[in-house]
Structure formats: structure tokens, C-alpha cells
């Protein structure tokens, strides 16, 4: 009896197993997907899914399907726009103004535009060249080397060889600037006053590739920077300069170039400054601008900080701190050294190999230097400092009356002062960051799809389940057995 009952039970189990296998074989992928979608519609917080998958009306299903497709398309379009904005790395700048009780006065460098002194050239004059003829030949030398359409500097080299052979004068660029130019430009100053006090002792001579200049409030001469507590001409720098009677200009310009720069930056008269002509006076009003780049992501790669210490990578620099002017000078000097295979050690001293082993530029190299100087294109990679102090300049000029004295036409007046003690602070930050993108995507999913993080998790599980139904046979079999036991 027991054996018979056991046999019947075994037979029933086999029948159940056979029925399960038959059901599994009969169930199609579509039926399993529909079952999973129905279950998702019953339990999901995605409201559209209820109408999409539970409604018995085909029209409602089609309508809600269209709405879902449009919502997904809108979400994808807006998200693509947000990603594109992030790729463009936009930044924003906020400007605030702060009144200061005192401000540090910048360095002011003055360079003569007509730096050749023909009286010095008389030592090299002879029967063929007097001092003025020699000056004219030198001017032709610079003109010949300048235009880029001159064939490989043949005209410049011909003039240079002619001058050297007829006069014995070494026309190296350094000799022209330092020996033939006025060696003491400070001697041209009739008056120098700062806040009403004599400032002649605060001037230092600076050698630049544009000539011998002088600087007020520079690092070498003035240990502590001058500071001002007031505005206007009386609280600034006042200069009266006379032009030399025997000066000659290589570029047919007469007057002075005024460069306002930070004390830890070199002057760049070849590319910066305000020009004042002879017989004129120049007023330069300043307002200090402090710029800070506080970008956390992409734009922050475009600036450097003092901690980066990029000045250690410069080849020609006497300054311990970094500035963009130092970097531009270094780029320019390096370009000349590479092109002419020499270094103007009278102007700048190389601190890195192989430039330390290069020869000093002489008369045979002046044509290459002049040509390189005129054809140089600024393609230097010189990032800004993340925190910089600069000044906006407001200039005005007036012409002296010829009735003011016999030398009025050769005098130049220069006034440099602060117009206001209000400092403009500009802070640059990222206007769109990856966190902004994440936030926008979250808002867009809520607006277009009604999604939350929980809903997205449910959809993810649904997708994984559908993939399992279609691709994993063993998972299908376990799913069918589970349904049969229920």
C-alpha cells in the first residue's frame, strides 16, 4: 500500500516536472517581457508607466508612448546643450570696489625714443664719414634689416661691413645701445619730485633693448616701495626732462616712452608704454586693479601661482618671482639666441644651458638680431598669475607754448599719479562646473521624465531584468519554476 502511494507520488512529481518544462518551452520571450513590464507598472513610482503598461485602451497606450518619447527627446536635447556648455569651459568675472587708505606706487620707467647721441660718434668719424653721416648709415642699417621682404639680410650685412671697414667701429647691438647711446639719461632730468620731495636719488639706470632708460621706484634702488595716501598730481611723480641737442633717432621719432609696471617686473619699452613727444606734457592717471583667478576646474590650468614657482623654468631672469612680462622677455631673448646663436649678455644673463655657453653677440650678429627683432611673432606660452595687480591708465597730453622759454620745444613734462584710491577687485570663477552639469541633469530628469534617484534605480532593475530574460536561459528557467510554485 505504501509502495503504491509512493509510486503515485513520484509519478505526480514527474508529471509536475514535465508540465513545468512544457510551460517553460511554451512561454516566449515576449510573454516574459510583458509579465515583467506589467509588474513594473504595478509597483513603479514612474507614473507614466502605469498608464503605458496597464491601460487597456490602445489609444491611451499610444498617447502615453508618444508623450514618453517626446519627454526623452527633450531630455536628451537639453542634456546635450549642458554638456556642450561644460566643454566650452565658461567663466564669470565679478567686480567689486574697495577703498584703500594707501596704495603702493608702481615702478615708472622712462626711455628716450631717439637714443643715439651723435656727439659720441665723432670718435669714429673720418674723412669719409662725419658723425652725422655715420648716424645716417646706422639708421639705414636698421631699416635694411627690418622689412621681412629683404633677401637674406644681404643689404644689412653689406652696410654693416662697410661701416666696420671704413671706421673700425664695432657696431654690435650692445655697443650701439650702451656706448653710443646716452650713458646717463638721468642727467637729462631737470626736475624729479614725488609727493613734493626730490626723487633724483630714487632713479636707477636700466639697460633695455630699446635703449638706456631710467626707472623710478625700482627694486634695485628703492628697498621699500613708495606709497601714497592721496590722489592727484601733487601726490604722484612729476618729471621734467630735456632732450639732448645732438640726439639722433633711428626710427624718426623724438620724445620719450613712459612705462608703468610692477616693481617685480621688467619694463618692456619695445611693446608697452605711453609716448610723449618733445615740447609736450603727459598726464597718466591710474586706478589699481586686483585680479584673482579662482577656478577649480578647467580654466584654472591657464594661470599659475607662486607655489608653482614657474620663474625657475625661465632662462633669462633676474627676478625670483614670476610675471607674464618676465616670461615674454624670456621667450623673446630665447628666440633671438636660437636664431642668431649668440646672447646679448650686456642686457640679460642666461642661467641655463646651452645659452650659458653661447658667445656674446658682436658686430657680425647685428643684422640677424635686427631682422629677428622685426619679424618676431609673439607665440609665447606665458600664462597669467592667478593673482595679479595691474592698473588702468587714463592719459592726456598738452603742447608747451613756444613762449615759455628757448628750450620749451625740447622739454617734456611727465606726471604719474593715482586718480582714485578705490581698488577694483576682479574675481574670475568657473560659471559652469561638472557639479552644475550633474545638477542640471537631475533637474531635467525630474522635469521631462518625472524621475528621481529611486525611479532611476527601478528602471535600471527593469532593464537588467529584460536583458536577463532575453540572454540568460538558466535565469529564464529559474523564473518559470518560481512562477509555477506560486
Amino acid at each position: 500500500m505504501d509502495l503504491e502511494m509512493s509510486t503515485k507520488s513520484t509519478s505526480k512529481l514527474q508529471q509536475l516536472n514535465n508540465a513545468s518544462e512544457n510551460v517553460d518551452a511554451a512561454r516566449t520571450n515576449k510573454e516574459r517581457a510583458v509579465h515583467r513590464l506589467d509588474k513594473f507598472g504595478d509597483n513603479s513610482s514612474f507614473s507614466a508607466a502605469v498608464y503605458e503598461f496597464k491601460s487597456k485602451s490602445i489609444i491611451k497606450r499610444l498617447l502615453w508612448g508618444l508623450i514618453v518619447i517626446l519627454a526623452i527627446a527633450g531630455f536628451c536635447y537639453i542634456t546635450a546643450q549642458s554638456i556642450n556648455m561644460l566643454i566650452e569651459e565658461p567663466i564669470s568675472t565679478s567686480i567689486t570696489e574697495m577703498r584703500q587708505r594707501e596704495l603702493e606706487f608702481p615702478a615708472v620707467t622712462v626711455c628716450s625714443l631717439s637714443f643715439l647721441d651723435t656727439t659720441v660718434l665723432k670718435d669714429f668719424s673720418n674723412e669719409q664719414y662725419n658723425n652725422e653721416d655715420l648716424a645716417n648709415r646706422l639708421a639705414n642699417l636698421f631699416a635694411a634689416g627690418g622689412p621681412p621682404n629683404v633677401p637674406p639680410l644681404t643689404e644689412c650685412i653689406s652696410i654693416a661691413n662697410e661701416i666696420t671697414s671704413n671706421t673700425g667701429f664695432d657696431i654690435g647691438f650692445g655697443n650701439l645701445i650702451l656706448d653710443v647711446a646716452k650713458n646717463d639719461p638721468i642727467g637729462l632730468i631737470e626736475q624729479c619730485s614725488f609727493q613734493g620731495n626730490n626723487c633724483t636719488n630714487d632713479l636707477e639706470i636700466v639697460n633695455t633693448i630699446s635703449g638706456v632708460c631710467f626707472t623710478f621706484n625700482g627694486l634695485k634702488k628703492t628697498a621699500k616701495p613708495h606709497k601714497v595716501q592721496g590722489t592727484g598730481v601733487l601726490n604722484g611723480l612729476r618729471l621734467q626732462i630735456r632732450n639732448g641737442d645732438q640726439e639722433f633717432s633711428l626710427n624718426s621719432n623724438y620724445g620719450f616712452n613712459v612705462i608703468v609696471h610692477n616693481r617685480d617686473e621688467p619694463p618692456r619699452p619695445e611693446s608697452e608704454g605711453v609716448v610723449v613727444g618733445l615740447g609736450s606734457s603727459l598726464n597718466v592717471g591710474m586706478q589699481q586693479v586686483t585680479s584673482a583667478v579662482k577656478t577649480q576646474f578647467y580654466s584654472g590650468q591657464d594661470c599659475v601661482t607662486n607655489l608653482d614657482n614657474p620663474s625657475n623654468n625661465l632662462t633669462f631672469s633676474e627676478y625670483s618671482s614670476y610675471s607674464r612680462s618676465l616670461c615674454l622677455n624670456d621667450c623673446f631673448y630665447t628666440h633671438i639666441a636660437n636664431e642668431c646663436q649668440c646672447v646679448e649678455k650686456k642686457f640679460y644673463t642666461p642661467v641655463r644651458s646651452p645659452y650659458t655657453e653661447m658667445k656674446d653677440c658682436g658686430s657680425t650678429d647685428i643684422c640677424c638680431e635686427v631682422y629677428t627683432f622685426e619679424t618676431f611673432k609673439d607665440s609665447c606660452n606665458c600664462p597669467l598669475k592667478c593673482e595679479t595687480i595691474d592698473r588702468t591708465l587714463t592719459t592726456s597730453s598738452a603742447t608747451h607754448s613756444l613762449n615759455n622759454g628757448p628750450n620749451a620745444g625740447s622739454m617734456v613734462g611727465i606726471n604719474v599719479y593715482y586718480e582714485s584710491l578705490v581698488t577694483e577687485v576682479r574675481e574670475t570663477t568657473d560659471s559652469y562646473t561638472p557639479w552644475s552639469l550633474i545638477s542640471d541633469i537631475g533637474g531635467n530628469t525630474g522635469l521631462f521624465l518625472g524621475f528621481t534617484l529611486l525611479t532611476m534605480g527601478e528602471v535600471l532593475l527593469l532593464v537588467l531584468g529584460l536583458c536577463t530574460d532575453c540572454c540568460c536561459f538558466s535565469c529564464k528557467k529559474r523564473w518559470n519554476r518560481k512562477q509555477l510554485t506560486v
Side-chain angles (χ1 to χ4, degrees), residues 36 77 153 156 160 165 237 278 307 317 358 409 420 454 459 473:
R36 189 176 293 277
Y77 176 79
L153 304 179
C156 175
S165 61
L237 174 66
L278 298 181
L307 296 178
S317 177
M358 283 187 178
S420 172
L454 296 178
V459 173
F473 176 79

Side-chain angles (χ1 to χ4, degrees), residues 108-395:
V108 179
T109 299
V110 179
C111 302
S112 175
L113 297 177
S114 49
F115 60 82
L116 283 187
D117 187 355
T118 56
T119 59
V120 180
L121 293 177
K122 66 182 180 181
D123 296 334
F124 304 98
S125 302
N126 52 34
E127 296 180 356
Q128 185 173 359
Y129 291 130
N130 57 36
N131 56 341
E132 188 170 347
D133 290 336
L134 182 55
N136 285 321
R137 296 299 289 170
L138 291 174
N140 293 334
L141 174 72
F142 278 72
N149 58 349
V150 174
L153 304 179
T154 54
E155 184 179 349
C156 175
I157 295 174
S158 176
I159 296 174
N161 292 334
E162 179 185 352
I163 295 175
T164 302
S165 61
N166 290 329
T167 64
F169 174 45
D170 183 2
I171 56 173
F173 194 76
N175 292 336
L176 284 177
I177 300 298
L178 302 181
D179 297 337
V180 182
K182 287 189 174 296
N183 292 319
D184 186 15
I186 297 177
L188 300 176
I189 297 175
E190 295 286 339
Q191 178 186 353
C192 176
S193 64
F194 180 74
Q195 294 184 323
N197 300 317
N198 186 283
C199 61
T200 305
N201 294 331
D202 294 326
L203 303 177
E204 62 180 85
I205 293 179
V206 180
N207 297 329
T208 71
I209 60 176
S210 294
V212 182
C213 311
F214 65 86
T215 298
F216 168 77
N217 199 30
L219 283 178
K220 295 180 180 179
K221 194 77 173 183
T222 308
K224 294 183 179 181
H226 291 288
K227 296 184 178 181
V228 297
Q229 297 179 345
T231 60
V233 176
L234 297 179
N235 290 286
L237 174 66
R238 306 183 68 183
L239 295 170
Q240 286 187 1
I241 310 173
R242 59 178 173 84
N243 199 48
D245 296 334
Q246 299 295 327
E247 280 198 295
F248 186 86
S249 174
L250 291 178
N251 51 17
S252 301
N253 294 322
Y254 296 88
F256 294 89
N257 189 19
V258 182
I259 305 100
V260 179
H261 56 98
N262 292 327
R263 300 179 73 237
D264 60 349
E265 297 179 356
R268 304 186 69 238
E270 71 278 3
S271 60
E272 298 176 353
V274 182
V275 174
V276 53
L278 298 181
S280 303
S281 61
L282 174 69
N283 293 324
V284 181
M286 304 181 297
Q287 182 180 7
Q288 182 168 298
V289 177
T290 301
S291 301
V293 179
K294 297 183 177 180
T295 54
Q296 184 179 1
F297 296 97
Y298 308 99
S299 300
Q301 299 175 359
D302 298 332
C303 70
V304 295
T305 64
N306 291 329
L307 296 178
D308 299 329
N309 204 12
S311 59
N312 289 342
N313 298 324
L314 301 181
T315 304
F316 306 94
S317 177
E318 297 179 353
Y319 297 84
S320 58
S321 60
Y322 172 85
S323 69
R324 192 167 187 270
S325 294
L326 281 173
C327 180
L328 291 174
N329 275 2
D330 189 80
C331 178
F332 177 68
Y333 298 154
T334 303
H335 181 72
I336 292 180
N338 291 336
E339 292 293 323
C340 303
Q341 291 299 303
C342 67
V343 176
E344 284 287 358
K345 297 181 180 179
K346 293 182 179 180
F347 299 105
Y348 40 87
T349 302
V351 295
R352 298 185 184 280
S353 182
Y355 304 99
T356 52
E357 289 79 23
M358 283 187 178
K359 67 175 183 176
D360 195 358
C361 295
S363 59
T364 57
D365 305 302
I366 187 171
C367 292
C368 176
E369 292 181 85
V370 172
Y371 189 85
T372 303
F373 176 81
E374 294 292 339
T375 58
F376 174 71
K377 296 181 179 180
D378 186 358
S379 57
C380 308
N381 182 19
C382 292
L384 294 171
K385 292 182 66 175
C386 294
E387 294 186 7
T388 59
I389 296 178
D390 203 353
R391 295 156 193 87
T392 56
L393 305 180
T394 303
T395 62

